[in-house]
Amino acid sequence: MGPASTSLEHDEAEPPANCGVCPRLVAFRADNQAKSPGWFNGAVRSFGNPDAARVLIVGLAPGLQGANKTGRPFTGDYAGDLLYGTLLKFGFATGEYDQRADDGLSLDGVMITNAVRCVPPANKPTGAEIKNCRSYLTARIKSLPHLAVIIALGRIAHESTLSALALRRAAFPFSHCGEHDLGGGLTMIDSYHCSRYNTNTGRLTTEMFEAVFAAMQARLTQA
Ligand code: SF4
């Protein structure tokens, strides 16, 4: 497994696994490749069927030992345990989540992506890196013909999604479980990111996270 293996599969919505646009992230990928050559260590593609997705979940960036290791968004670390567990509970995924890209889990009507597709040091992408990767987020959003709801996990996902849609950030303040009518039948629902840090500190509880998915389900019913 390695970044070069998927470099021929990219399109406007999905960077090549060996994307070279952000020098700091390319160097970090190379460091990780040297330390852990069995890991994916590349730009992580979105997960889900674009032709079926009514919901796009936008995270921040791959976790070092999560998506960066396994090559599938939110797969392999705590954030994925909570996200995929919730998707299974609400009927938006089938199969069994087992922290591996080849666990056979499939998403039903949902796609998962990240605002930044490469793992950043200390989980903190720079403004320039977020901006560099936005063209992929924009193309991903625009390539979903049945998209009705975007769930933004965290403030950076929220703000980058607004910028991807050329909307003013000041008009849509971030708030957990806040719903924003983005026009054209598209709603964005905010959530605190489902990271271990946020759950350990009590900023996000399971009940709070599930409330976001209940709101999403209600929106889909109305759409
Ligand atoms: S973060 Fe995005 S733009 Fe930057 S190197 Fe990775 S895939 Fe390319």
Side-chain angles (χ1 to χ4, degrees):
M1 187 159 57
S5 62
T6 57
S7 61
L8 298 177
E9 298 170 16
H10 72 277
D11 54 38
E12 284 186 355
E14 300 297 334
N18 58 0
C19 180
V21 173
C22 303
R24 189 182 74 120
L25 302 188
V26 171
F28 193 49
R29 284 188 343 228
D31 282 353
N32 292 321
Q33 180 70 24
K35 285 181 196 151
S36 304
W39 292 8
F40 181 70
N41 296 314
V44 176
R45 296 174 64 84
S46 309
F47 176 38
N49 178 356
D51 295 324
R54 298 180 71 204
V55 176
L56 180 66
I57 297 173
V58 183
L60 168 59
L64 178 61
Q65 299 192 42
N68 176 67
K69 179 178 179 181
T70 64
R72 193 177 74 180
F74 286 89
T75 299
D77 55 14
Y78 175 80
D81 291 352
L82 182 53
L83 177 59
Y84 287 112
T86 307
L87 287 168
L88 283 161
K89 180 171 180 176
F90 279 78
F92 290 103
T94 51
E96 196 172 331
Y97 172 65
D98 193 26
Q99 299 195 328
R100 297 178 286 113
D102 60 354
D103 57 12
L105 185 91
S106 63
L107 299 176
D108 297 336
V110 171
M111 190 167 220
I112 304 175
T113 193
N114 278 310
V116 174
R117 305 298 188 91
C118 296
V119 59
N123 278 331
K124 287 189 170 49
T126 65
E129 289 158 357
I130 297 166
K131 195 172 173 190
N132 286 344
C133 217
R134 190 170 298 130
S135 64
Y136 293 111
L137 179 60
T138 305
R140 185 72 281 161
I141 292 170
K142 291 187 187 289
S143 70
L144 303 179
H146 304 295
L147 184 64
V149 176
I150 293 174
I151 293 182
L153 297 179
R155 192 176 296 273
I156 287 176
H158 166 97
E159 292 182 346
S160 202
T161 297
L162 290 172
S163 294
L165 294 170
L167 295 169
R168 283 179 55 244
R169 294 178 179 183
F172 304 95
F174 178 90
S175 68
H176 181 78
C177 224
E179 298 188 32
H180 308 282
D181 182 352
L182 303 184
L186 182 60
T187 298
M188 179 163 69
I189 307 176
D190 299 331
S191 174
Y192 291 129
H193 194 282
C194 50
S195 64
R196 186 188 290 274
Y197 177 83
N198 279 346
T199 53
N200 278 353
T201 58
R203 176 183 284 263
L204 180 70
T205 63
T206 300
E207 292 72 26
M208 288 168 68
F209 198 53
E210 290 185 355
V212 170
F213 286 78
M216 177 257 272
Q217 215 161 32
R219 280 282 169 173
L220 292 179
T221 306
Q222 294 162 8

